Amino acid sequence: MAILMQHELDLLKKELLTLGAEVEERVKQAVQALLTGDRKLAEQVKGGDDQIDNMEIELEEECLKILALHQPVATDLRFIVSVLKINNDLERVADFAVNIADRALDLDSSMKIDCPYDIATMAELVETMLKMALDSLVERDTALARKAIQLDDDVDNLHRENFFRVKEAIRENLESMDGLIYYLSISRYLERMGDLATNIAEDVVYHVDGEIIRHGGIQN
Amino acid sequence: MTDIRIENPIIQVNNLKFYYPGNARALHGIDLSFPEKQVTALIGPSGCGKSTLIRCFNRMNDLIDGCRVEGEVILEGENIYSKNTDIIELRRKAGMVFQKSNPFPKSIYENVIYGLRIAGEKDKKLFAERVETSLKAAALWDEVKDRLQESALGLSGGQMQRLCIARAIAVNPKVILMDEPCSALDPKSTARVEETIKELRNEYTIIIVTHNMQQAARVSDYTAFLFEGNLIEFGVTDQLFVKPQNEQTEDYITGRFG
């Protein structure tokens, strides 16, 4: 039984990592589309979301099948539970990439508004978190997962700073308010992506150590 | 091994060693406490000693010529291996249900009161009362109440097994020992027996040996994993099946053994 299931688990991990790689790529493309004003690339990110959604559903069905047919326990059970959650988180990350692509289209060159904060730096940080979280899954490396989680504070701080910068910019330039609010939304999307990368890393810790570290674990 | 303390255990096993004839040691010094009115599952691969261990609790192993026991099994404060143990009384206190149901070729009614009869009981009113309560406890009453005088051999496999549970209950045991009670049953009958086990936990302490890991996970409160005559891990069942402490336990329950 174990050998049969092991094959399915290996396949599941491979599929999850494929989804992860796809999602990472979407995030990169969305940010690039935004920074370069590449409408075509933004449309491409939007158009590709169905593929991500389908992958998510297929992965979930795969998990349910393994649960029903093999009734995994211990590390196998924790792995399936983690995959179910990470799968969902990745799909949400891709949705935020679509949101960024949407804002990229809204903020097309005709608006000509400069972003009052450094999008590239924040996006890079979020992409790093996502990469670390997925690498920690591949390597079953909880130390790396915990490092990814720590980076979330930096992302949150950036978002907070961005909020004040955008507020200031609006105050100074009321007629650019629409565009500036779009930029604030983008900061918010990136911040949410950081949260989701954190969730993924937390699920890796659960899978490997069996420890739920979310919300600081159960409070006594 | 998981270090959990069981307060006021009903059975306390101290450094129990068991030798089959020819000095083949099957248990290498087991220390284990069984919580009262809980279901404890004994799991492990074939030959790990789980059946040997459960059979130590009502001295069923005494039937094997040339076997030898060292250490203690304390049931309700008394070492059952002390010289003055009354074996009949011990087996009343620790009833056993076997892998293959073994009803006597008698009526359902007679099967249930068998233990009372051999203990010298003659009170018919008590018989009738005990038949009803035991069959109800074993979740069989509704199915057989109108045919108590019919032969037990006409029951289905699952019903026979529940009859054997009722027979064990009829003599008011403290502990019910179950050795693979569902291995010969189909999923539906297994489900009924498992349901019965869950119900019985309110009144009795149950120790169950099972090869079926999912069954151990479903019915037990505590699980002990044995390997090659040693206790490897003992813990709360849901913890043991989600996050075992010992690598050998993990390998066994996930089927990656050996």
Side-chain angles (χ1 to χ4, degrees):
Chain A
M1 184 193 100
I3 297 161
L4 286 179
M5 181 167 67
Q6 191 56 54
H7 178 69
E8 307 249 357
L9 293 176
D10 291 344
L11 206 65
L12 190 66
K13 188 166 185 176
K14 213 171 127 193
E15 285 171 15
L16 182 70
L17 293 174
T18 307
L19 174 65
E22 281 289 337
V23 170
E24 273 187 291
E25 187 58 28
R26 302 301 153 97
V27 174
K28 276 200 184 77
Q29 288 175 342
V31 172
Q32 198 191 336
L34 177 70
L35 294 175
T36 60
D38 186 339
R39 294 187 67 92
K40 208 174 141 202
L41 189 58
E43 292 289 357
Q44 192 185 316
V45 172
K46 282 182 70 174
D49 198 45
D50 286 350
Q51 187 200 347
I52 301 284
D53 292 348
N54 288 338
M55 286 172 86
E56 188 221 4
I57 291 169
E58 276 170 27
L59 256 166
E60 184 170 312
E61 283 177 347
E62 204 58 43
C63 289
L64 296 175
K65 194 180 90 186
I66 296 173
L67 284 173
L69 300 185
H70 299 281
Q71 299 158 3
V73 293
T75 183
D76 299 335
L77 175 66
R78 301 199 306 268
F79 177 65
I80 302 279
V81 170
S82 301
V83 171
L84 277 169
K85 297 173 79 177
I86 292 171
N87 184 34
N88 196 252
D89 290 336
L90 285 172
E91 191 274 332
R92 294 288 298 130
V93 171
D95 283 347
F96 284 121
V98 171
N99 291 148
I100 290 177
D102 277 333
R103 294 298 84 79
L105 292 169
D106 292 336
L107 283 160
D108 91 345
S109 49
S110 62
M111 281 188 125
K112 298 247 188 273
I113 304 164
D114 288 335
C115 182
Y117 63 91
D118 186 354
I119 295 178
T121 303
M122 187 178 188
E124 213 170 284
L125 191 55
V126 170
E127 284 168 28
T128 304
M129 277 183 78
L130 196 57
K131 185 173 185 324
M132 285 167 85
L134 290 169
D135 285 350
S136 73
L137 175 68
V138 179
E139 306 293 338
R140 294 171 53 93
D141 182 346
T142 54
L144 185 61
R146 287 174 195 272
K147 272 186 202 155
I149 294 166
Q150 279 171 358
L151 287 182
D152 196 41
D153 286 345
D154 297 345
V155 175
D156 289 348
N157 288 336
L158 279 179
H159 178 58
R160 208 166 295 123
E161 275 174 32
N162 295 345
F163 174 81
F164 289 111
R165 285 180 190 211
V166 170
K167 200 163 93 172
E168 196 60 32
I170 290 174
R171 202 171 279 152
E172 285 169 7
N173 195 356
L174 263 178
E175 57 275 26
S176 299
M177 185 158 70
D178 287 0
L180 289 167
I181 287 174
Y182 290 153
Y183 281 125
L184 181 60
S185 303
I186 290 161
S187 175
R188 169 75 180 148
Y189 303 145
L190 289 170
E191 186 265 333
R192 288 293 297 133
M193 282 185 187
D195 291 344
L196 291 163
T198 301
N199 290 356
I200 292 170
E202 286 167 344
D203 285 328
V204 171
V205 174
Y206 174 69
H207 160 45
V208 178
D209 290 345
E211 190 190 347
I212 298 175
I213 57 169
R214 214 166 52 248
H215 319 308
I218 291 177
Q219 308 295 316
N220 291 320
Chain B
M1 201 180 87
T2 327
D3 191 21
I4 55 166
R5 273 188 70 84
I6 301 295
E7 299 292 338
N8 306 316
I10 186 149
I11 292 182
Q12 170 84 45
V13 180
N14 295 325
N15 196 20
L16 185 71
K17 294 175 182 151
F18 185 86
Y19 301 81
Y20 278 108
N23 230 19
R25 193 153 82 172
L27 298 175
H28 305 291
I30 304 281
D31 292 296
L32 188 54
S33 304
F34 290 87
E36 194 173 9
K37 293 188 181 175
Q38 301 279 323
V39 181
T40 302
L42 304 178
I43 62 167
S46 298
C48 72
K50 56 191 188 300
S51 287
T52 302
L53 180 62
I54 201 174
R55 281 155 190 266
C56 284
F57 300 157
N58 64 350
R59 292 186 54 173
M60 282 295 283
N61 291 321
D62 288 13
L63 302 173
I64 305 164
D65 273 342
C67 73
R68 189 155 59 84
V69 177
E70 289 171 12
E72 294 179 323
V73 176
I74 314 280
L75 171 62
E76 288 196 305
E78 284 177 38
N79 182 10
I80 65 168
Y81 283 97
S82 73
K83 277 184 192 137
N84 41 18
T85 298
D86 176 349
I87 303 281
I88 303 288
E89 174 61 12
L90 168 67
R91 292 190 186 147
R92 185 195 65 73
K93 272 194 200 167
M96 197 162 208
V97 176
F98 297 88
Q99 183 170 2
K100 198 172 174 318
S101 58
N102 52 351
F104 303 124
K106 292 169 179 286
S107 69
I108 294 167
Y109 183 93
E110 283 299 324
N111 262 279
V112 178
I113 60 165
Y114 187 82
L116 294 169
R117 267 203 205 283
I118 57 168
E121 187 57 61
K122 293 196 174 71
D123 182 350
K124 290 213 167 137
K125 210 175 135 207
L126 178 82
F127 286 164
E129 182 195 300
R130 210 55 83 70
V131 165
E132 184 170 342
T133 52
S134 307
L135 287 171
K136 276 183 175 164
L140 190 58
W141 176 250
D142 288 341
E143 291 162 58
V144 301
K145 63 178 183 223
D146 300 323
R147 49 175 172 139
L148 293 173
Q149 297 307 328
E150 287 176 25
S151 169
L153 303 181
L155 297 172
S156 73
Q159 288 172 329
M160 280 191 201
Q161 197 57 302
R162 278 179 281 141
L163 177 65
C164 293
I165 294 173
R167 191 173 62 192
I169 293 169
V171 291
N172 266 337
K174 295 289 175 190
V175 182
I176 304 175
L177 307 170
M178 298 184 172
D179 193 356
E180 295 267 5
C182 299
S183 62
L185 302 181
D186 68 19
K188 199 176 162 199
S189 305
T190 298
R192 289 303 306 271
V193 172
E194 287 180 0
E195 228 172 279
T196 308
I197 292 171
K198 282 270 185 195
E199 290 286 320
L200 290 174
R201 184 180 49 175
N202 299 325
E203 294 292 324
Y204 306 95
T205 302
I206 295 173
I207 302 173
I208 178 171
V209 163
T210 177
H211 261 122
N212 181 338
M213 226 101 57
Q214 295 304 328
Q215 178 169 69
R218 282 192 298 266
V219 303
S220 71
D221 304 294
Y222 292 84
T223 298
F225 169 58
L226 284 93
F227 182 58
E228 293 182 343
N230 293 300
L231 176 68
I232 305 296
E233 183 164 348
F234 175 67
V236 176
T237 295
D238 54 9
Q239 287 171 15
L240 190 132
F241 278 93
V242 175
K243 191 187 166 190
Q245 302 295 310
N246 188 288
E247 212 173 309
Q248 278 178 300
T249 314
E250 173 106 35
D251 286 348
Y252 179 68
I253 63 174
T254 57
R256 290 186 178 82
F257 217 73

